[in-house]
Coordinates of all heavy atoms in Angstrom, one line a residue:
P1 N 0.8 -1.2 0.0 CA 0.0 0.0 0.0 C 0.8 1.3 0.0 O 0.4 2.3 -0.5 CB -0.8 -0.1 1.3 CG -0.6 -1.4 1.9 CD 0.5 -2.0 1.1
N2 N 2.0 1.2 0.6 CA 2.9 2.4 0.6 C 3.8 2.4 -0.6 O 4.7 1.6 -0.7 CB 3.7 2.4 1.9 CG 4.5 3.7 2.1 OD1 4.5 4.5 1.3 ND2 5.1 3.8 3.3
K3 N 3.6 3.4 -1.4 CA 4.4 3.5 -2.7 C 5.9 3.7 -2.5 O 6.7 3.1 -3.1 CB 3.8 4.6 -3.6 CG 2.4 4.3 -4.0 CD 2.3 3.1 -4.9 CE 0.9 2.9 -5.3 NZ 0.6 1.7 -6.0
L4 N 6.2 4.7 -1.6 CA 7.6 5.0 -1.3 C 8.4 3.8 -0.7 O 9.5 3.5 -1.1 CB 7.8 6.2 -0.4 CG 9.2 6.6 -0.1 CD1 9.9 7.0 -1.4 CD2 9.2 7.8 0.9
G5 N 7.7 3.1 0.2 CA 8.3 1.9 0.8 C 8.5 0.8 -0.2 O 9.6 0.1 -0.2
G6 N 7.6 0.7 -1.2 CA 7.8 -0.3 -2.2 C 9.0 0.0 -3.2 O 9.7 -0.9 -3.6
V7 N 9.1 1.3 -3.5 CA 10.2 1.7 -4.3 C 11.5 1.5 -3.6 O 12.5 1.0 -4.2 CB 10.0 3.2 -4.8 CG1 11.3 3.7 -5.5 CG2 8.8 3.3 -5.7
I8 N 11.6 1.9 -2.4 CA 12.9 1.7 -1.6 C 13.2 0.2 -1.5 O 14.4 -0.2 -1.7 CB 12.7 2.3 -0.2 CG1 12.7 3.8 -0.3 CG2 13.9 1.9 0.7 CD1 12.4 4.6 0.9
A9 N 12.2 -0.7 -1.2 CA 12.4 -2.1 -1.2 C 12.9 -2.6 -2.5 O 13.8 -3.5 -2.6 CB 11.2 -2.8 -0.7
L10 N 12.3 -2.2 -3.6 CA 12.8 -2.6 -4.9 C 14.2 -2.2 -5.2 O 15.0 -3.1 -5.7 CB 11.8 -2.0 -6.0 CG 12.2 -2.4 -7.4 CD1 12.0 -3.9 -7.7 CD2 11.3 -1.5 -8.4
V11 N 14.6 -1.0 -4.9 CA 15.9 -0.5 -5.1 C 16.9 -1.3 -4.3 O 18.0 -1.7 -4.7 CB 16.0 1.0 -4.9 CG1 17.5 1.4 -4.9 CG2 15.3 1.7 -6.0
M12 N 16.5 -1.5 -3.0 CA 17.4 -2.3 -2.1 C 17.6 -3.8 -2.5 O 18.6 -4.3 -2.4 CB 16.9 -2.2 -0.7 CG 17.0 -0.9 0.0 SD 18.7 -0.3 0.0 CE 19.5 -1.5 1.1
S13 N 16.5 -4.4 -3.1 CA 16.6 -5.8 -3.5 C 17.5 -5.9 -4.7 O 18.2 -6.9 -4.8 CB 15.2 -6.3 -3.8 OG 14.7 -5.7 -5.0
I14 N 17.6 -4.9 -5.5 CA 18.6 -5.0 -6.7 C 20.0 -4.5 -6.2 O 21.0 -5.2 -6.6 CB 18.1 -4.0 -7.8 CG1 16.7 -4.5 -8.3 CG2 19.1 -4.0 -8.9 CD1 16.6 -5.9 -8.8
A15 N 20.1 -3.5 -5.4 CA 21.4 -3.1 -4.9 C 22.1 -4.1 -4.1 O 23.3 -4.2 -4.2 CB 21.2 -1.8 -4.1
I16 N 21.4 -4.9 -3.3 CA 22.0 -5.9 -2.5 C 22.7 -7.0 -3.4 O 23.7 -7.6 -3.0 CB 21.0 -6.5 -1.5 CG1 21.8 -7.1 -0.3 CG2 20.1 -7.5 -2.1 CD1 20.9 -7.3 0.9
L17 N 22.1 -7.2 -4.5 CA 22.7 -8.2 -5.5 C 24.0 -7.7 -6.0 O 24.9 -8.5 -6.3 CB 21.7 -8.5 -6.6 CG 20.4 -9.2 -6.2 CD1 19.5 -9.4 -7.4 CD2 20.7 -10.6 -5.6
F18 N 24.2 -6.4 -6.2 CA 25.4 -5.8 -6.6 C 26.5 -5.8 -5.5 O 27.7 -5.9 -5.8 CB 25.2 -4.4 -7.2 CG 24.6 -4.4 -8.5 CD1 23.3 -3.9 -8.7 CD2 25.2 -4.9 -9.7 CE1 22.7 -3.9 -9.9 CE2 24.6 -4.9 -10.9 CZ 23.3 -4.4 -11.0
L19 N 26.0 -5.8 -4.3 CA 27.0 -5.7 -3.2 C 27.5 -7.1 -2.7 O 28.5 -7.2 -2.1 CB 26.3 -5.0 -2.0 CG 26.0 -3.5 -2.1 CD1 25.3 -3.0 -0.9 CD2 27.3 -2.8 -2.3
M20 N 26.8 -8.1 -3.1 CA 27.1 -9.5 -2.6 C 28.6 -9.9 -3.0 O 29.3 -10.4 -2.2 CB 26.1 -10.5 -3.1 CG 24.8 -10.5 -2.4 SD 25.0 -10.8 -0.6 CE 25.5 -12.5 -0.6
P21 N 29.0 -9.7 -4.3 CA 30.4 -10.0 -4.6 C 31.5 -9.3 -3.7 O 32.5 -9.8 -3.4 CB 30.6 -9.7 -6.1 CG 29.2 -9.7 -6.6 CD 28.3 -9.2 -5.5
L22 N 31.1 -8.1 -3.4 CA 32.1 -7.3 -2.5 C 32.1 -7.8 -1.1 O 33.1 -7.6 -0.4 CB 31.7 -5.8 -2.6 CG 31.6 -5.1 -4.0 CD1 31.1 -3.7 -3.8 CD2 33.0 -5.1 -4.6
L23 N 31.0 -8.3 -0.6 CA 31.0 -8.8 0.7 C 31.4 -10.3 0.9 O 31.4 -10.8 2.0 CB 29.5 -8.6 1.3 CG 29.0 -7.2 1.3 CD1 27.5 -7.2 1.7 CD2 29.8 -6.3 2.2
H24 N 31.7 -10.9 -0.2 CA 32.1 -12.4 -0.2 C 33.5 -12.5 0.4 O 34.4 -12.2 -0.3 CB 32.0 -13.0 -1.6 CG 32.3 -14.4 -1.6 ND1 31.5 -15.4 -1.1 CD2 33.4 -15.1 -2.1 CE1 32.0 -16.6 -1.3 NE2 33.2 -16.4 -1.9
T25 N 33.6 -13.1 1.6 CA 34.9 -13.2 2.2 C 35.1 -14.7 2.7 O 35.9 -14.9 3.6 CB 35.0 -12.3 3.4 OG1 33.9 -12.6 4.3 CG2 35.0 -10.9 3.0
N26 N 34.4 -15.6 2.1 CA 34.5 -17.0 2.5 C 35.9 -17.6 2.0 O 36.5 -17.1 1.1 CB 33.4 -17.9 1.8 CG 32.0 -17.5 2.3 OD1 31.9 -16.7 3.2 ND2 31.0 -18.0 1.6
Q27 N 36.3 -18.6 2.8 CA 37.6 -19.1 2.4 C 37.6 -20.1 1.2 O 38.5 -20.2 0.5 CB 38.2 -19.9 3.7 CG 38.6 -18.9 4.8 CD 39.2 -19.6 6.0 OE1 39.2 -20.9 6.0 NE2 39.6 -18.9 6.9
S28 N 36.4 -20.7 1.0 CA 36.3 -21.5 -0.2 C 35.2 -20.9 -1.1 O 34.4 -20.2 -0.6 CB 35.9 -23.0 0.2 OG 34.6 -23.0 0.8
Q29 N 35.2 -21.3 -2.3 CA 34.4 -20.7 -3.3 C 33.0 -21.3 -3.4 O 32.0 -20.6 -3.6 CB 35.0 -20.8 -4.7 CG 36.3 -19.9 -4.8 CD 36.0 -18.5 -4.7 OE1 35.0 -18.0 -5.2 NE2 36.9 -17.8 -4.0
G30 N 32.9 -22.6 -3.2 CA 31.6 -23.3 -3.4 C 30.9 -23.5 -2.1 O 31.4 -23.3 -1.0
L31 N 29.6 -23.9 -2.2 CA 28.8 -24.1 -1.0 C 28.9 -25.6 -0.5 O 28.3 -25.9 0.5 CB 27.3 -23.9 -1.3 CG 26.9 -22.4 -1.4 CD1 25.4 -22.3 -1.7 CD2 27.2 -21.7 -0.1
Q32 N 29.7 -26.4 -1.2 CA 29.8 -27.8 -0.8 C 30.4 -28.0 0.6 O 30.2 -29.0 1.3 CB 30.5 -28.7 -1.8 CG 32.0 -28.3 -2.0 CD 32.2 -27.3 -3.1 OE1 31.4 -26.6 -3.4 NE2 33.4 -27.4 -3.6
F33 N 31.1 -27.0 1.1 CA 31.8 -27.1 2.4 C 31.0 -26.3 3.5 O 31.4 -26.2 4.6 CB 33.2 -26.6 2.4 CG 34.1 -27.3 1.4 CD1 34.5 -26.7 0.3 CD2 34.4 -28.6 1.6 CE1 35.3 -27.4 -0.6 CE2 35.2 -29.4 0.7 CZ 35.6 -28.7 -0.4
Y34 N 29.9 -25.8 3.1 CA 29.0 -25.0 4.0 C 27.6 -25.6 4.0 O 26.7 -25.1 3.3 CB 28.9 -23.5 3.6 CG 30.3 -22.8 3.5 CD1 30.9 -22.6 2.3 CD2 30.8 -22.4 4.7 CE1 32.1 -21.9 2.3 CE2 32.0 -21.7 4.7 CZ 32.7 -21.5 3.5 OH 33.9 -20.8 3.5
P35 N 27.4 -26.6 4.8 CA 26.1 -27.3 4.8 C 24.9 -26.4 5.2 O 23.8 -26.5 4.7 CB 26.2 -28.5 5.7 CG 27.4 -28.3 6.5 CD 28.3 -27.3 5.7
L36 N 25.2 -25.5 6.2 CA 24.1 -24.6 6.6 C 23.7 -23.6 5.6 O 22.6 -23.2 5.4 CB 24.5 -23.9 7.9 CG 24.7 -24.8 9.2 CD1 25.2 -24.0 10.3 CD2 23.4 -25.5 9.5
N37 N 24.7 -23.2 4.8 CA 24.5 -22.3 3.7 C 23.7 -22.9 2.6 O 23.0 -22.3 1.8 CB 25.8 -21.6 3.2 CG 26.3 -20.7 4.2 OD1 26.6 -21.1 5.4 ND2 26.5 -19.4 3.9
Q38 N 23.9 -24.2 2.4 CA 23.1 -25.0 1.4 C 21.7 -24.9 1.8 O 20.8 -24.8 0.9 CB 23.6 -26.4 1.3 CG 25.0 -26.6 0.7 CD 25.5 -28.0 0.7 OE1 24.8 -28.9 1.3 NE2 26.6 -28.3 0.1
I39 N 21.4 -25.1 3.0 CA 20.0 -25.0 3.5 C 19.4 -23.6 3.3 O 18.3 -23.5 2.8 CB 19.9 -25.5 5.0 CG1 20.3 -26.9 5.1 CG2 18.5 -25.2 5.5 CD1 20.5 -27.4 6.5
L40 N 20.2 -22.6 3.6 CA 19.8 -21.2 3.4 C 19.6 -20.9 1.9 O 18.7 -20.1 1.6 CB 20.9 -20.3 3.9 CG 20.8 -19.9 5.4 CD1 21.9 -18.9 5.8 CD2 19.5 -19.3 5.7
F41 N 20.4 -21.6 1.0 CA 20.2 -21.3 -0.4 C 18.8 -21.8 -0.8 O 18.1 -21.1 -1.5 CB 21.2 -22.1 -1.2 CG 21.0 -22.1 -2.7 CD1 21.2 -21.0 -3.5 CD2 20.5 -23.3 -3.3 CE1 20.9 -21.0 -4.8 CE2 20.2 -23.3 -4.6 CZ 20.4 -22.2 -5.4
W42 N 18.4 -23.0 -0.4 CA 17.1 -23.5 -0.8 C 15.9 -22.7 -0.1 O 14.9 -22.6 -0.7 CB 17.0 -25.0 -0.5 CG 17.8 -25.8 -1.4 CD1 19.0 -26.4 -1.1 CD2 17.6 -25.9 -2.8 NE1 19.5 -27.0 -2.3 CE2 18.7 -26.7 -3.3 CE3 16.7 -25.4 -3.7 CZ2 18.8 -27.0 -4.7 CZ3 16.8 -25.8 -5.1 CH2 17.8 -26.5 -5.5
Y43 N 16.2 -22.2 1.1 CA 15.3 -21.3 1.8 C 15.1 -20.1 0.9 O 14.0 -19.6 0.8 CB 15.9 -21.0 3.2 CG 15.5 -19.7 3.8 CD1 14.3 -19.5 4.5 CD2 16.4 -18.6 3.7 CE1 14.0 -18.3 5.1 CE2 16.1 -17.4 4.3 CZ 14.9 -17.3 5.0 OH 14.6 -16.1 5.6
M44 N 16.2 -19.6 0.3 CA 16.1 -18.4 -0.5 C 15.3 -18.7 -1.8 O 14.5 -17.8 -2.3 CB 17.5 -17.9 -0.8 CG 17.5 -16.6 -1.7 SD 16.8 -15.3 -0.8 CE 17.2 -13.9 -1.8
V45 N 15.6 -19.8 -2.4 CA 14.8 -20.2 -3.6 C 13.3 -20.3 -3.4 O 12.5 -19.7 -4.2 CB 15.4 -21.5 -4.2 CG1 14.5 -22.1 -5.3 CG2 16.8 -21.4 -4.7
I46 N 13.0 -20.9 -2.3 CA 11.5 -21.0 -2.0 C 10.9 -19.6 -1.7 O 9.8 -19.3 -2.1 CB 11.3 -21.9 -0.7 CG1 11.7 -23.3 -1.2 CG2 9.9 -21.8 -0.2 CD1 11.8 -24.3 0.0
T47 N 11.7 -18.7 -1.0 CA 11.2 -17.4 -0.7 C 11.0 -16.6 -2.0 O 10.0 -15.9 -2.2 CB 12.2 -16.6 0.2 OG1 12.4 -17.4 1.4 CG2 11.8 -15.2 0.5
I48 N 11.9 -16.7 -3.0 CA 11.8 -16.0 -4.2 C 10.6 -16.5 -5.0 O 9.8 -15.7 -5.6 CB 13.1 -16.1 -5.1 CG1 14.2 -15.3 -4.4 CG2 12.9 -15.7 -6.5 CD1 15.5 -15.4 -5.1
I49 N 10.4 -17.8 -5.0 CA 9.2 -18.4 -5.7 C 7.9 -17.9 -5.1 O 7.0 -17.5 -5.8 CB 9.3 -19.9 -5.7 CG1 10.4 -20.4 -6.6 CG2 7.9 -20.5 -6.1 CD1 10.7 -21.9 -6.5
L50 N 7.9 -17.8 -3.7 CA 6.7 -17.4 -3.1 C 6.5 -15.9 -3.2 O 5.3 -15.4 -3.4 CB 6.7 -17.7 -1.6 CG 6.6 -19.2 -1.2 CD1 6.8 -19.4 0.3 CD2 5.2 -19.7 -1.7
L51 N 7.5 -15.1 -3.3 CA 7.4 -13.6 -3.5 C 6.9 -13.4 -4.9 O 6.1 -12.5 -5.2 CB 8.7 -12.9 -3.3 CG 9.1 -12.5 -1.9 CD1 10.5 -12.0 -1.8 CD2 8.1 -11.4 -1.4
T52 N 7.3 -14.2 -5.9 CA 6.8 -14.1 -7.3 C 5.3 -14.4 -7.3 O 4.5 -13.7 -8.0 CB 7.6 -15.0 -8.2 OG1 9.0 -14.7 -8.1 CG2 7.1 -14.8 -9.6
W53 N 4.9 -15.4 -6.6 CA 3.5 -15.8 -6.6 C 2.7 -14.7 -5.9 O 1.6 -14.3 -6.4 CB 3.3 -17.1 -5.9 CG 1.9 -17.5 -5.7 CD1 1.1 -18.0 -6.6 CD2 1.2 -17.5 -4.5 NE1 -0.2 -18.2 -6.1 CE2 -0.1 -17.9 -4.8 CE3 1.5 -17.1 -3.2 CZ2 -1.1 -18.0 -3.8 CZ3 0.5 -17.2 -2.2 CH2 -0.8 -17.6 -2.5
I54 N 3.2 -14.2 -4.8 CA 2.4 -13.2 -4.0 C 2.3 -11.9 -4.8 O 1.3 -11.2 -4.7 CB 3.2 -12.9 -2.7 CG1 2.7 -13.9 -1.6 CG2 3.0 -11.5 -2.2 CD1 1.2 -13.8 -1.3
G55 N 3.3 -11.6 -5.7 CA 3.3 -10.4 -6.5 C 2.2 -10.4 -7.5 O 1.7 -9.4 -8.0
A56 N 1.7 -11.6 -7.9 CA 0.7 -11.7 -8.9 C -0.7 -11.7 -8.2 O -1.7 -11.7 -8.9 CB 0.8 -13.0 -9.6
R57 N -0.8 -11.7 -6.9 CA -2.1 -11.7 -6.2 C -2.6 -10.3 -6.0 O -1.8 -9.3 -6.0 CB -1.9 -12.3 -4.8 CG -1.5 -13.8 -4.8 CD -2.6 -14.7 -5.3 NE -2.0 -15.6 -6.3 CZ -2.6 -16.0 -7.4 NH1 -3.8 -15.6 -7.7 NH2 -2.0 -16.8 -8.3
P58 N -3.9 -10.1 -5.9 CA -4.4 -8.7 -5.6 C -4.0 -8.2 -4.2 O -3.7 -9.0 -3.3 CB -5.9 -8.9 -5.7 CG -6.2 -10.4 -5.5 CD -4.9 -11.1 -5.9
V59 N -4.0 -6.9 -4.1 CA -3.7 -6.3 -2.8 C -4.8 -6.4 -1.9 O -5.7 -5.5 -1.8 CB -3.2 -4.8 -3.0 CG1 -2.8 -4.2 -1.7 CG2 -2.1 -4.7 -4.1
E60 N -4.9 -7.5 -1.2 CA -6.0 -7.8 -0.2 C -5.3 -8.2 1.1 O -4.1 -8.5 1.2 CB -6.9 -8.9 -0.8 CG -7.7 -8.4 -2.0 CD -8.5 -9.5 -2.6 OE1 -8.4 -10.7 -2.1 OE2 -9.3 -9.2 -3.5
T61 N -6.2 -8.4 2.1 CA -5.7 -8.7 3.5 C -4.8 -9.8 3.6 O -3.7 -9.6 4.2 CB -7.0 -8.8 4.4 OG1 -7.8 -7.7 4.3 CG2 -6.5 -9.0 5.8
P62 N -5.0 -11.0 3.2 CA -4.0 -12.1 3.6 C -2.8 -11.9 2.8 O -1.7 -12.3 3.2 CB -4.8 -13.4 3.2 CG -5.8 -13.0 2.2 CD -6.2 -11.6 2.6
Y63 N -2.8 -11.4 1.6 CA -1.7 -11.3 0.7 C -0.7 -10.2 1.1 O 0.5 -10.3 0.9 CB -2.1 -11.1 -0.7 CG -3.0 -12.2 -1.2 CD1 -4.2 -11.9 -1.8 CD2 -2.6 -13.6 -1.1 CE1 -5.1 -13.0 -2.2 CE2 -3.4 -14.6 -1.6 CZ -4.6 -14.3 -2.1 OH -5.5 -15.3 -2.6
I64 N -1.2 -9.1 1.7 CA -0.4 -8.0 2.1 C 0.6 -8.5 3.3 O 1.8 -8.3 3.2 CB -1.2 -6.8 2.6 CG1 -2.0 -6.2 1.5 CG2 -0.3 -5.8 3.3 CD1 -3.0 -5.2 1.9
L65 N 0.0 -9.1 4.3 CA 0.8 -9.6 5.4 C 1.8 -10.7 4.9 O 3.0 -10.7 5.3 CB -0.1 -10.2 6.5 CG 0.7 -10.7 7.7 CD1 1.4 -9.6 8.4 CD2 -0.3 -11.3 8.7
T66 N 1.4 -11.6 4.0 CA 2.3 -12.6 3.5 C 3.4 -12.0 2.7 O 4.6 -12.4 2.9 CB 1.5 -13.6 2.6 OG1 0.3 -14.1 3.3 CG2 2.3 -14.8 2.2
G67 N 3.1 -11.0 1.9 CA 4.2 -10.3 1.2 C 5.2 -9.6 2.1 O 6.4 -9.6 1.8
Q68 N 4.7 -9.0 3.2 CA 5.6 -8.4 4.1 C 6.5 -9.3 4.8 O 7.7 -9.1 5.0 CB 4.8 -7.5 5.1 CG 4.1 -6.3 4.5 CD 3.2 -5.6 5.4 OE1 2.8 -6.2 6.5 NE2 2.7 -4.4 5.0
I69 N 5.9 -10.5 5.2 CA 6.7 -11.5 5.9 C 7.8 -12.1 5.0 O 8.9 -12.2 5.4 CB 5.8 -12.6 6.5 CG1 5.0 -12.1 7.6 CG2 6.6 -13.8 6.9 CD1 3.9 -13.0 8.1
L70 N 7.4 -12.4 3.7 CA 8.3 -12.9 2.8 C 9.4 -11.9 2.4 O 10.6 -12.3 2.2 CB 7.6 -13.3 1.5 CG 6.8 -14.6 1.6 CD1 5.9 -14.8 0.4 CD2 7.6 -15.8 1.9
T71 N 9.1 -10.6 2.4 CA 10.1 -9.6 2.2 C 11.1 -9.5 3.3 O 12.4 -9.4 3.1 CB 9.5 -8.2 2.0 OG1 8.5 -8.3 1.0 CG2 10.5 -7.1 1.8
V72 N 10.7 -9.7 4.6 CA 11.6 -9.7 5.7 C 12.5 -11.0 5.6 O 13.7 -10.9 5.8 CB 10.9 -9.7 7.0 CG1 11.7 -10.0 8.2 CG2 10.2 -8.4 7.2
L73 N 11.9 -12.1 5.2 CA 12.7 -13.3 5.0 C 13.7 -13.2 3.9 O 14.8 -13.7 4.0 CB 11.8 -14.5 4.7 CG 10.9 -15.0 5.9 CD1 9.9 -16.1 5.4 CD2 11.7 -15.4 7.1
Y74 N 13.3 -12.5 2.8 CA 14.3 -12.3 1.7 C 15.5 -11.5 2.1 O 16.6 -11.9 1.8 CB 13.5 -11.5 0.6 CG 14.4 -11.1 -0.6 CD1 14.7 -12.0 -1.6 CD2 14.9 -9.8 -0.7 CE1 15.5 -11.6 -2.7 CE2 15.7 -9.4 -1.7 CZ 16.0 -10.3 -2.7 OH 16.8 -10.0 -3.8
F75 N 15.3 -10.4 2.8 CA 16.4 -9.6 3.3 C 17.2 -10.2 4.4 O 18.4 -10.0 4.6 CB 16.0 -8.2 3.7 CG 15.6 -7.3 2.5 CD1 14.3 -7.0 2.2 CD2 16.6 -6.9 1.6 CE1 14.0 -6.2 1.1 CE2 16.3 -6.1 0.5 CZ 15.0 -5.8 0.2
S76 N 16.5 -11.1 5.2 CA 17.2 -11.7 6.3 C 18.2 -12.7 5.8 O 19.3 -13.0 6.4 CB 16.3 -12.4 7.3 OG 15.6 -13.5 6.6
Y77 N 18.0 -13.3 4.6 CA 19.0 -14.2 4.0 C 20.3 -13.5 3.8 O 21.4 -14.1 4.1 CB 18.4 -14.7 2.6 CG 19.5 -15.4 1.8 CD1 19.8 -16.8 2.1 CD2 20.2 -14.8 0.8 CE1 20.8 -17.4 1.4 CE2 21.1 -15.5 0.1 CZ 21.4 -16.8 0.4 OH 22.4 -17.4 -0.3
Y78 N 20.3 -12.3 3.3 CA 21.5 -11.6 3.1 C 22.3 -11.1 4.3 O 23.4 -10.8 4.3 CB 21.2 -10.4 2.2 CG 20.8 -10.8 0.8 CD1 19.5 -10.6 0.4 CD2 21.6 -11.4 -0.1 CE1 19.0 -11.0 -0.8 CE2 21.2 -11.8 -1.3 CZ 19.9 -11.6 -1.7 OH 19.5 -12.0 -2.9
M79 N 21.6 -11.1 5.4 CA 22.2 -10.9 6.7 C 22.7 -12.2 7.3 O 23.8 -12.2 8.0 CB 21.3 -10.2 7.7 CG 21.0 -8.7 7.2 SD 19.9 -7.9 8.4 CE 18.3 -8.5 8.0
L80 N 22.0 -13.3 7.2 CA 22.4 -14.5 7.8 C 23.5 -15.3 7.1 O 24.3 -15.9 7.7 CB 21.1 -15.5 7.9 CG 20.1 -15.1 8.9 CD1 18.9 -16.0 8.8 CD2 20.7 -15.2 10.3
N81 N 23.5 -15.2 5.7 CA 24.5 -15.9 4.9 C 25.9 -15.6 5.3 O 26.7 -16.5 5.6 CB 24.2 -15.7 3.5 CG 24.9 -16.6 2.6 OD1 25.2 -17.7 3.0 ND2 25.2 -16.2 1.3
P82 N 26.3 -14.3 5.4 CA 27.7 -14.1 5.8 C 28.0 -14.5 7.2 O 29.1 -14.9 7.5 CB 27.9 -12.6 5.6 CG 26.8 -12.1 4.8 CD 25.7 -13.1 5.0
I83 N 27.1 -14.3 8.1 CA 27.3 -14.7 9.5 C 27.5 -16.2 9.7 O 28.4 -16.6 10.3 CB 26.1 -14.2 10.4 CG1 26.0 -12.7 10.4 CG2 26.2 -14.8 11.8 CD1 24.8 -12.2 11.0
I84 N 26.7 -17.0 9.0 CA 26.8 -18.4 9.1 C 28.1 -18.9 8.4 O 28.8 -19.8 8.8 CB 25.6 -19.1 8.5 CG1 24.4 -18.9 9.4 CG2 25.8 -20.6 8.3 CD1 23.1 -19.4 9.0
S85 N 28.5 -18.2 7.3 CA 29.8 -18.5 6.6 C 30.9 -18.3 7.5 O 31.9 -19.1 7.6 CB 29.9 -17.7 5.3 OG 28.9 -18.1 4.4
K86 N 31.0 -17.2 8.2 CA 32.0 -16.8 9.1 C 32.1 -17.9 10.3 O 33.1 -18.3 10.7 CB 31.9 -15.4 9.7 CG 32.1 -14.4 8.8 CD 33.5 -14.1 8.6 CE 33.6 -12.8 7.7 NZ 34.9 -12.7 7.1
F87 N 30.9 -18.2 10.8 CA 30.8 -19.2 11.8 C 31.4 -20.5 11.4 O 32.2 -21.2 12.1 CB 29.4 -19.4 12.3 CG 29.1 -20.6 13.2 CD1 29.6 -20.6 14.5 CD2 28.5 -21.7 12.7 CE1 29.4 -21.7 15.3 CE2 28.4 -22.8 13.5 CZ 28.8 -22.8 14.8
W88 N 31.0 -21.0 10.2 CA 31.5 -22.2 9.6 C 33.0 -22.2 9.4 O 33.7 -23.2 9.6 CB 30.7 -22.6 8.4 CG 30.8 -24.1 8.1 CD1 31.5 -24.7 7.1 CD2 30.1 -25.1 8.8 NE1 31.3 -26.0 7.1 CE2 30.5 -26.3 8.2 CE3 29.3 -25.2 9.9 CZ2 30.0 -27.5 8.6 CZ3 28.8 -26.4 10.3 CH2 29.2 -27.6 9.7
D89 N 33.5 -21.1 8.9 CA 35.0 -20.9 8.6 C 35.7 -21.0 10.0 O 36.8 -21.7 10.0 CB 35.3 -19.6 8.0 CG 35.0 -19.6 6.5 OD1 34.9 -20.7 5.9 OD2 34.8 -18.5 5.9
N90 N 35.2 -20.4 11.0 CA 35.9 -20.4 12.3 C 35.8 -21.8 12.9 O 36.8 -22.3 13.5 CB 35.2 -19.4 13.3 CG 35.5 -18.0 12.9 OD1 36.5 -17.7 12.3 ND2 34.7 -17.1 13.4
L91 N 34.7 -22.5 12.7 CA 34.6 -23.9 13.2 C 35.5 -24.8 12.5 O 36.1 -25.7 13.1 CB 33.1 -24.4 12.9 CG 32.7 -25.7 13.5 CD1 32.8 -25.6 15.1 CD2 31.3 -26.1 13.1
L92 N 35.7 -24.7 11.2 CA 36.7 -25.5 10.4 C 38.1 -25.2 10.7 O 39.0 -26.1 10.6 CB 36.4 -25.4 8.9 CG 35.1 -26.0 8.4 CD1 35.0 -25.7 6.9 CD2 35.0 -27.4 8.7
N93 N 38.4 -24.0 11.0 CA 39.8 -23.6 11.3 C 40.3 -24.0 12.7 O 41.5 -24.1 13.0 CB 40.0 -22.1 11.1 CG 40.0 -21.7 9.6 OD1 40.3 -22.6 8.8 ND2 39.7 -20.5 9.3
N94 N 39.4 -24.2 13.6 CA 39.8 -24.5 15.0 C 39.9 -26.0 15.2 O 39.9 -26.9 14.8 CB 38.8 -24.0 16.0 CG 38.9 -22.5 16.1 OD1 39.9 -21.9 15.8 ND2 37.8 -21.8 16.4

């Protein structure tokens, strides 16, 4: 319902994709050594599919709340992924 909030969320969702390579500080390149990040990856895939589905629904009561929750989950992935990678790197190095 809030147009400015939607525009800011749209810009942030694209900008965060450009920032990801700059924030990548993992010791290995692939996800095969990060099992928790593999789970997070599939969590992200499901979130994107659900956000796409919710975007096609009318702006009504159950869909508004569902879209807001899925948006929080979308952005939480980008906060959790580096934290879990650092945790796993520290666990493997000790």
Side-chain angles (χ1 to χ4, degrees):
N2 188 352
K3 299 292 181 189
L4 181 61
V7 170
I8 291 172
L10 177 67
V11 169
M12 290 301 297
S13 67
I14 300 300
I16 203 163
L17 296 175
F18 286 111
L19 292 175
M20 283 302 289
L22 301 173
L23 300 175
H24 180 72
T25 58
N26 297 350
Q27 291 182 355
S28 68
Q29 294 294 322
L31 284 180
Q32 66 267 24
F33 301 113
Y34 299 102
L36 295 176
N37 289 58
Q38 290 176 354
I39 295 169
L40 272 179
F41 169 77
W42 289 110
Y43 152 83
M44 182 63 170
V45 169
I46 291 169
T47 303
I48 289 173
I49 291 170
L50 289 174
L51 274 171
T52 304
W53 175 74
I54 274 298
R57 301 288 131 218
V59 183
E60 293 177 353
T61 304
Y63 302 124
I64 294 172
L65 181 63
T66 306
Q68 291 171 346
I69 291 170
L70 288 171
T71 302
V72 169
L73 292 176
Y74 175 82
F75 285 110
S76 68
Y77 169 80
Y78 294 107
M79 291 184 282
L80 288 175
N81 194 26
I83 293 170
I84 291 177
S85 295
K86 292 279 187 198
F87 169 74
W88 200 255
D89 284 339
N90 289 337
L91 187 67
L92 291 176
N93 287 335
N94 289 331

